[in-house]
Amino acid sequence: MSVGYRLFDSAQMYHNEKELAQAIKASTIKRKEVFITTKLSSGTNYENTKRSIQSSLSALDLDYIDLLLIHSPYPQAKEMYRAMEEFYHQGAIKALGISNFDTQQYLEFIKTCKIIPAVNQLQVHVFFQRESLQQIMQKHGTIMQAWSPFAAGKNNFFTNETLLKIGKKYHKTPAQVGLRYLIERNVNVIPKSSKKERMSENLNLFDFTLSREDLSAIKKLDRNQSLFGWDM
């Protein structure tokens, strides 16, 4: 928090909601100055999902959640979302979203949504850029948010020759170039780090702009496939 991070991404599956609540309470930051995201695990049905949402509110010790996501395209996702919409109308959730929905799943899901998901949180990075899905979501008003924008270091992300070469021009690291590329594509990024100096580095992205040549070079890194076996 001390370096300026104000968005906190949690989930029932991570078992970190109570710890996040304790950290926010221990800080001097006002509630309105932080943005809390959490994700629902499978709620099985409408009533159980309502109880699940209430459980997250209690664990986080909050009157409202800024963004609530369905963690995966569960078979009962549409029923879960109906419960989420109810909490949204009550003011207990400020924005609704989904996570890990591919193109077909997204298009099928929004057919029954009264409120179009504000966010679809996905695996997105320079090796898996997902531009076609982003274009489809933009037409419907859904923002692409990138989890693991560093590809968890796979494919030698941090020593990639293209990212190193571009970074040298701007005195930036491959990590900063990779994040900047996504930002310039209007992808919302949530990089993960436990090191304070890396957190500061991840925020230092707004004093340079990639050239057309840079963008073209990075686009060529796209392999158009997942790097994580469980996210296929």
Side-chain angles (χ1 to χ4, degrees), residues 120-137:
N120 187 8
Q121 191 182 104
L122 298 152
Q123 177 195 170
V124 184
H125 41 74
V126 297
F127 305 121
F128 193 25
Q129 299 182 21
R130 312 188 83 161
E131 285 193 58
S132 61
L133 173 54
Q134 183 183 17
Q135 290 169 2
I136 289 169
M137 294 196 305

Side-chain angles (χ1 to χ4, degrees), residues 183-201:
I183 288 172
E184 291 192 21
R185 275 187 47 209
N186 295 316
V187 176
N188 187 276
V189 296
I190 47 172
K192 176 184 176 182
S193 180
S194 60
K195 297 182 179 179
K196 189 173 181 179
E197 61 273 19
R198 296 299 186 199
M199 293 180 186
S200 295
E201 179 183 303

